Amino acid sequence: MAPFLLVFAVMAAAFASASGSGELTPDFYSETCPQALTTIKLVVGAAILKEPRMGASLVRMHFHDCFVNGCDGSVLLDDTDDMIGEKLAKPNNMSLRGFDVIDAIKVAVNTACLGNVVSCADILAVAARDSIVALGGSSYEVLLGRRDATTASIDDANDDIPNPFMDLPDLVDNFESHGLSLQDLVVLSGGHTLGYSRCLFFRSRLYNETDTLDPAYAAALEEQCPIVGDDEALASLDDTPTTVDTDYYQGLTQGRALLHTDQQLYQGGGGGDSDELVKYYGENPDKFWEDFGAAMVKMGNISPLTGDDGEIRENCRVVNQ
């Protein structure tokens, strides 16, 4: 057999062996593309160096992917004549961002791997972890081996992604429907240590929930978000929107929660359990980082496609032809 054919055969056999497993493993690409994770990290790092806000966007994209029919990369699919995907769903439209970074990662990984080896769903999971680390958080081991969906649903996205107006019981029900606990809800909400929200999503809280808002904080927000207009104006979710820390939890106890759903975690009718978790993570950053990593791994295990299900997309925006 010619040398290049032998190399191709070895790679194909290794990939077939890996993809035949139904289990997610941290070393899924160790034989088929050992440089995959390093390549993803480099592209994510460059994107965040250029725009630190991008880290929050990549974490959020992984969350929104996993909550709609599992962690299968469906959020990345563009609409077609036969399908309206998730990008235009209410929680995502004009809000979810970073698709160009995922495109760049996919091109770089395909080049490094000498072929289409790494799934878009796995890229989302690793990019979220690398974003957390790049912005000061602790690393955690990402399980790999997901495959990509061949369809997406705007209706499922509208139904399954929590919206920022939910009360605590509805949030708990939503998370439990995905196999996640109250503790997972509180610790994953700590992802709001990063990023911003649009006025459209916090205006109702700002002007109707004044009893749970610090007056000085509310006054500052009113300058950014008038009662009418400026829907796209941004405010940070905590005081350090490009640093992973526990200021988010401290803000919840001080009347500085930007979103209704955030304030619901503290004195939102959870019988004290969520209140205690908020205070605990605000006072114990090491435990937050440890538990956040574990919760991200748990979320990343929501209904993945493995084995022969789905596909490995050549281009994350479209199904393979």
Side-chain angles (χ1 to χ4, degrees):
M1 181 180 291
F4 74 93
L5 290 177
L6 177 61
V7 171
F8 178 80
V10 170
M11 289 183 63
F15 178 62
S17 173
S19 64
S21 170
E23 296 287 332
L24 301 184
T25 64
D27 58 351
F28 188 82
Y29 298 109
S30 61
E31 294 184 14
T32 56
C33 188
Q35 60 271 50
L37 300 189
T38 300
T39 303
I40 296 172
K41 182 178 180 180
L42 288 172
V43 180
V44 169
I48 291 176
L49 185 62
K50 181 179 179 181
E51 183 192 5
R53 181 187 167 200
M54 185 55 65
S57 299
L58 295 174
V59 173
R60 184 167 178 253
M61 192 182 299
H62 179 46
F63 178 92
H64 283 215
D65 182 46
C66 289
F67 265 58
V68 184
N69 299 319
C71 308
D72 60 4
S74 59
V75 71
L76 301 171
L77 286 171
D78 288 342
D79 295 348
T80 68
D81 292 340
D82 303 318
M83 181 198 74
I84 301 177
E86 299 166 26
K87 291 182 178 180
L88 293 180
K90 291 178 182 178
N92 298 335
N93 189 29
M94 299 180 65
S95 175
L96 208 61
R97 56 198 298 274
F99 297 105
D100 54 336
V101 176
I102 300 301
D103 291 341
I105 294 172
K106 183 60 174 173
V107 170
V109 169
N110 283 0
T111 300
C113 299
L114 302 178
N116 185 33
V117 175
V118 181
S119 70
C120 301
D122 276 348
I123 286 173
L124 286 175
V126 176
R129 188 272 310 277
D130 291 346
S131 295
I132 292 293
V133 174
L135 294 172
S138 295
S139 187
Y140 55 91
E141 191 171 64
V142 178
L143 301 181
L144 302 165
R146 301 167 191 82
R147 288 169 65 84
D148 298 323
T150 56
T151 188
S153 169
I154 187 172
D155 291 334
D156 289 346
N158 282 327
D159 290 342
D160 293 345
I161 298 173
N163 70 65
F165 311 109
M166 283 181 167
D167 292 333
L168 184 61
D170 292 329
L171 286 169
V172 171
D173 287 347
N174 181 286
F175 271 64
E176 287 182 346
S177 74
H178 293 94
L180 300 171
S181 66
L182 172 64
Q183 181 174 3
D184 295 324
L185 164 61
V186 174
V187 74
L188 288 172
S189 294
H192 285 179
T193 181
L194 301 174
Y196 299 78
S197 180
R198 297 153 66 197
C199 171
L200 177 68
F201 295 131
F202 63 84
R203 176 184 285 120
S204 177
R205 166 163 166 72
L206 175 59
Y207 292 100
N208 295 299
E209 300 177 21
T210 54
D211 58 323
T212 60
L213 279 167
D214 172 73
Y217 179 61
L221 288 177
E222 287 173 5
E223 293 185 6
Q224 300 172 262
C225 180
I227 197 166
V228 177
D230 288 347
D231 286 356
E232 305 307 312
L234 296 176
S236 61
L237 290 160
D238 78 352
D239 291 337
T240 56
T242 58
T243 302
V244 177
D245 54 30
T246 56
D247 282 3
Y248 166 77
Y249 294 108
Q250 294 161 13
L252 299 191
T253 66
Q254 298 165 359
R256 298 175 64 84
L258 183 65
L259 300 176
H260 174 78
T261 44
D262 290 332
Q263 190 59 58
Q264 284 289 295
L265 300 181
Y266 188 73
Q267 298 180 343
D273 291 342
S274 60
D275 293 7
E276 292 304 313
L277 286 167
V278 166
K279 290 186 287 188
Y280 177 72
Y281 288 126
E283 296 168 357
N284 296 278
D286 288 344
K287 283 301 295 179
F288 164 64
W289 288 329
E290 178 183 338
D291 291 352
F292 182 80
M296 287 291 284
V297 171
K298 186 176 179 181
M299 183 185 76
N301 270 322
I302 297 176
S303 302
L305 299 174
T306 60
D308 295 326
D309 294 332
E311 64 180 17
I312 307 298
R313 279 187 231 132
E314 180 79 25
N315 178 338
C316 291
R317 294 175 181 263
V318 297
V319 299
N320 295 340
Q321 301 301 311

